[in-house]
């Protein structure tokens, strides 16, 4: 048989299997690369096969071909009737060997081209958000969904989690191998703990785009809220956020002073919410130490504790993976006119149904649709009939809020990971600015609201429209001195709901 004679030592089962694997893998790589290039579709498992599985098949196949030929040749060499030299003779005057050599050169060039393209595309794939967020879809779904709805949705995961340079790339891939093992053998925790250990310092990543020192003044921001009452009454707080301070005032240094100055602290918990000790290195090199008077540490405790130097992530700890409370989500839906204000008690009812525990998203989706419809059919039948289209759309919006902020499979809800920006739902700023951290000389870290923001105006049910402009925050309900003694999160953290503002509860 001519083909068998031409194949020579490679005419054996091992080599033939290798040839089939190599040819099949090459065809699949070319075909899938062409499909991706033509359609522009990037799918996690398609990429996994194209850039890892098929190149692996190709390499294994190309190893099997010479391996099989070598085994057959060595077997023939040991036969007494065969006179085969230890090494092959290369004689280009022999047409058969010349053709084999040319085939080897052409196949090698093709192999290098295919593997090179697959390697480069594979590298790009491992740097993509599809690889980071969708490949391990159960584990990474919460972070991927939060990222896709964050202000950093156009920033690739690797730009923050890896950054430039080979050293951190290698560290990230080694860490990724451990994570791959955890996913494959289901050894990962049900809820991923944060902050992530050994994450690249924020100054190496965040500050490639953000330049904290450039902020030298405040930034105006209007907060839109809606009361959880029958009218879903609009509320509005107009504030000046002292990001870079207020020039020519006692608060001229502003919020970003914290990383313009060397500030270190000791945290008692992993999430850095309990901070009993803070040290500030002054410009002259002296260190000012502040101690929590309710949870003081001894000198021995301070000496042996691990101190962390404050950076961007100590406040902006959820910059690209933000889970928001149902109350805030409903406020934004009202403000952007995605849902109708004319549906009575919609905010209160939606928040209550959103914050219940569900076994899975399918149960949550069904319950939201069922209970919102039943609530209006029972308590406001005329509204349910007149605004049937608006109610159906509101149900869809509320279901979408659940999908973005609740993940039963990983036991994650909107408040699983505290967000240290602000102080409404978590202690945030008040971890240090609580009026309880003092130096030995009695200097206190102030809890003065005006250090970080200044109220320019406020609109609310309990503020008369004819009154003078509000310059100090007014709580929807008069809670007296508790406004300054307690933290906002003491009341608001649990359910993600605003205070009803004196309005009677929704009808049941």
């Amino acid at each position: 048989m001519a083909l068998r004679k031409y194949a020579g030592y490679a005419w054996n089962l091992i080599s033939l299997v290798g040839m089939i694997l190599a040819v099949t893998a090459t065809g699949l790589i070319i075909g899938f690369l062409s499909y991706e290039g033509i359609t522009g579709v990037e799918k996690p498992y398609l990429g996994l096969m194209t850039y890892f599985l098929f190149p692996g098949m190709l390499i294994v196949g190309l190893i099997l071909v010479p391996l099989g030929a070598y085994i057959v040749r060595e077997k023939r060499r040991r036969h007494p009737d065969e006179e085969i030299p230890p090494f092959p003779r290369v004689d280009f005057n022999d047409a058969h060997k010349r053709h084999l050599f040319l085939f080897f050169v052409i196949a090698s060039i093709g192999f290098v081209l295919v593997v090179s393209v697959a390697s480069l595309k594979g590298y790009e794939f491992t740097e993509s958000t599809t690889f980071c967020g969708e490949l391990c879809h159960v584990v990474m779904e919460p972070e991927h969904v939060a990222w896709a709805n964050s202000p950093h949705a156009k920033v690739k995961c690797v730009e923050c989690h890896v950054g430039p340079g080979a050293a951190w790339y290698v560290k990230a891939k080694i860490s990724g191998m451990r994570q791959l093992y955890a996913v494959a053998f289901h050894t990962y925790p049900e809820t991923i703990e944060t902050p992530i250990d050994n994450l690249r310092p924020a100054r190496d990543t965040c500050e490639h785009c953000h330049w904290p020192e450039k902020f030298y003044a405040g930034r105006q921001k209007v907060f839109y809220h809606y009361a959880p009452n029958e009218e879903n009454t609009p509320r509005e707080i107009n504030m000046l956020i002292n990001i870079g301070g207020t020039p020519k005032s006692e608060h001229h240094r502003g919020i970003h002073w914290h990383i313009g100055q060397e500030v270190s602290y000791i945290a008692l918990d992993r999430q850095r919410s309990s901070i009993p000790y803070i040290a500030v290195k002054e410009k002259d090199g002296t260190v000012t130490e502040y101690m929590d008077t309710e949870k003081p540490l001894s000198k021995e405790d301070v000496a042996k504790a691990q101190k962390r130097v404050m950076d961007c992530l100590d406040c902006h700890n959820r910059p690209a993976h933000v889970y928001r409370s149902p109350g805030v989500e409903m406020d934004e839906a009202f403000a952007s006119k995605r849902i109708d204000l004319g549906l009575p008690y919609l905010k209160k009812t939606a928040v209550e149904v959103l914050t219940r525990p569900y076994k899975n998203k399918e149960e949550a989706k069904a319950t939201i649709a069922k209970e919102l419809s039943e609530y209006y059919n029972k308590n406001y039948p005329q509204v349910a009939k007149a605004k049937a289209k608006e109610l159906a759309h509101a149900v869809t919006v509320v279901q979408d809020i659940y999908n973005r902020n609740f993940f039963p499979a990983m036991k994650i809800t909107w408040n699983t990971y505290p967000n240290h920006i602000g102080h409404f739902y978590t202690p945030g700023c008040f971890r240090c600015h609580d009026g309880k951290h003092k130096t030995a000389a009695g200097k206190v870290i102030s809890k003065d609201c005006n250090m970080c923001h200044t109220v320019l105006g406020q609109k609310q049910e309990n503020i008369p429209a004819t009154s003078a402009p509000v310059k100090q925050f007014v709580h929807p309900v008069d809670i007296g001195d508790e406004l300054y003694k307690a933290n906002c999160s003491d009341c608001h953290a649990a359910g993600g709901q605003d205070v009803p503002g004196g309005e009677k509860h929704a009808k049941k």
Side-chain angles (χ1 to χ4, degrees):
M1 188 177 182
L3 180 61
R4 181 173 183 176
K5 181 180 178 181
Y6 192 82
Y9 296 126
W11 189 262
N12 62 82
L13 182 61
I14 296 175
S15 296
L16 289 175
V17 169
M19 291 178 194
I20 293 171
L21 281 176
V23 172
T24 303
T26 302
L28 289 171
I29 291 171
I30 294 172
F32 279 42
L33 283 174
S34 301
Y35 170 77
E36 184 180 293
I38 293 169
T39 63
V41 175
E42 188 177 79
K43 296 182 178 179
Y45 296 105
L46 187 68
L48 191 65
M49 292 187 293
T50 306
Y51 307 128
F52 297 101
L53 177 61
F54 299 152
M57 285 174 54
L58 174 59
I59 292 170
V60 169
L62 292 176
I63 291 173
L64 290 176
V65 173
L67 177 63
Y70 174 78
I71 292 172
V72 170
R73 189 177 187 277
E74 287 301 303
K75 185 177 180 180
R76 290 184 183 180
R77 277 191 69 224
R78 288 193 292 270
H79 197 279
D81 297 334
E82 296 282 353
E83 294 183 3
I84 301 174
F87 298 99
R89 292 190 180 97
V90 180
D91 184 0
F92 291 153
N93 293 308
D94 185 337
H96 175 64
K97 292 183 178 179
R98 186 169 63 249
H99 294 160
L100 282 177
F101 177 77
L102 290 174
F103 174 76
F104 174 78
V105 171
I106 293 170
S108 297
I109 292 172
F111 166 74
V112 170
L113 287 174
V114 171
V115 171
S116 296
V117 171
S119 299
L120 289 172
K121 294 291 289 183
Y123 167 78
E124 289 182 3
F125 177 65
T126 61
E127 297 284 280
S128 69
T129 53
T130 300
F131 176 82
C132 297
E134 296 181 39
L135 191 60
C136 306
H137 59 278
V138 174
V139 182
M140 292 307 300
E141 182 194 10
E143 297 294 83
H144 183 68
V145 171
W147 164 83
N149 291 283
S150 78
H152 288 82
K154 296 296 183 181
V155 180
K156 289 184 177 181
C157 311
V158 294
E159 292 184 43
C160 295
H161 287 270
V162 181
W168 278 96
Y169 176 81
V170 172
K171 289 180 183 179
K173 296 312 169 187
I174 292 174
S175 175
M177 293 300 292
R178 294 194 297 268
Q179 295 164 9
L180 180 62
Y181 174 87
V183 171
F185 294 95
H186 209 279
T187 60
Y188 57 87
E190 289 185 324
T191 303
I192 305 300
E193 293 184 336
T194 60
I196 303 299
D197 293 327
N198 304 316
L199 195 65
R200 188 165 188 167
R203 294 184 186 277
D204 292 350
T205 53
C206 304
E207 292 188 20
H208 281 197
C209 297
H210 302 280
W211 182 17
E213 290 85 356
K214 87 179 185 70
F215 294 106
Y216 62 89
R219 174 172 291 176
Q220 186 178 5
K221 184 175 182 179
V222 179
F223 295 86
Y224 298 99
H225 299 290
Y226 293 81
N229 57 18
E230 189 171 30
E231 296 79 19
N232 303 300
T233 307
R235 297 170 176 172
E236 185 178 304
I237 305 173
N238 187 357
M239 272 188 182
L240 181 69
I241 311 298
N242 301 327
I243 298 173
T246 305
K248 298 182 180 180
S249 76
E250 60 178 323
H251 303 307
H252 64 280
R253 294 190 292 185
I255 299 168
H256 280 166
W257 166 88
H258 293 83
I259 56 173
Q261 195 92 357
E262 185 177 322
V263 180
S264 58
Y265 66 89
I266 296 171
L268 297 180
D269 62 332
R270 181 183 177 88
Q271 293 186 325
R272 302 168 187 164
S273 58
S274 178
I275 300 176
Y277 171 89
I278 303 152
V280 179
K281 188 174 182 179
E282 308 292 348
K283 298 296 184 184
D284 60 3
T286 60
V287 176
T288 304
E289 297 179 303
Y290 297 85
M291 194 76 71
D292 188 340
T293 54
E294 293 187 352
K295 296 177 289 185
L297 299 180
S298 66
K299 289 184 179 180
E300 291 76 16
D301 291 335
V302 172
K304 67 182 181 182
Q306 182 180 2
K307 298 180 182 66
R308 173 178 167 82
V309 177
M310 184 175 283
D311 64 19
C312 310
L313 293 180
D314 288 291
C315 294
H316 299 270
N317 65 312
R318 307 296 302 176
H321 303 284
V322 184
Y323 304 101
R324 296 187 297 181
S325 76
V328 170
E329 287 275 21
M330 290 298 294
D331 287 338
E332 292 196 2
F334 281 127
S336 60
K337 299 187 184 302
R338 287 187 288 123
I339 49 179
D340 189 356
L341 273 172
L343 295 169
Y345 283 116
L346 178 57
K347 180 175 181 179
K348 182 175 180 59
T349 307
V351 170
E352 286 178 351
V353 73
L354 278 167
T355 50
R356 293 180 194 168
Y358 299 101
K359 294 179 181 178
N360 50 55
K361 289 196 172 187
E362 290 72 23
E363 181 187 4
K365 183 178 180 181
T367 303
I368 289 169
K370 176 177 177 288
E371 297 210 0
L372 286 182
S373 297
E374 286 182 351
Y375 174 81
Y376 286 100
N377 287 329
K378 178 182 178 181
N379 297 291
Y380 297 94
Q382 292 182 344
V383 173
K385 184 177 180 180
K387 293 183 174 287
K389 184 178 179 181
E390 290 82 354
L391 178 57
H393 182 66
V395 168
T396 302
V397 172
V398 174
Q399 290 171 333
D400 186 47
I401 291 173
Y402 186 90
N403 286 332
R404 291 198 304 269
N405 299 285
F406 297 83
F407 301 88
M410 291 298 293
K411 292 183 170 52
I412 291 174
T413 66
W414 69 272
N415 57 359
T416 299
Y417 301 113
N419 190 343
H420 298 320
I421 284 292
H423 49 75
F424 195 68
Y425 292 112
T426 66
C429 311
F430 293 152
R431 293 174 296 159
C432 302
H433 290 267
D434 57 358
K436 300 173 184 176
H437 287 75
K438 296 182 180 181
T439 65
K443 184 179 178 182
V444 181
I445 297 181
S446 176
K447 198 179 179 181
D448 182 4
C449 300
N450 291 318
M451 290 185 70
C452 296
H453 49 68
T454 303
V455 176
L456 303 178
Q458 189 173 353
K459 296 177 183 178
Q460 209 161 259
E461 313 94 277
N462 58 341
I463 300 175
T466 56
S467 66
V470 173
K471 297 299 181 183
Q472 198 75 17
F473 175 74
V474 178
H475 197 275
V477 175
D478 185 4
I479 57 174
D481 292 342
E482 287 300 311
L483 179 62
Y484 304 102
K485 291 180 179 179
N487 290 343
C488 305
S489 57
D490 293 344
C491 296
H492 293 279
Q497 180 63 281
D498 295 331
V499 177
E503 180 68 38
K504 64 182 180 180
H505 290 297
K507 299 176 182 178
K508 299 295 183 184

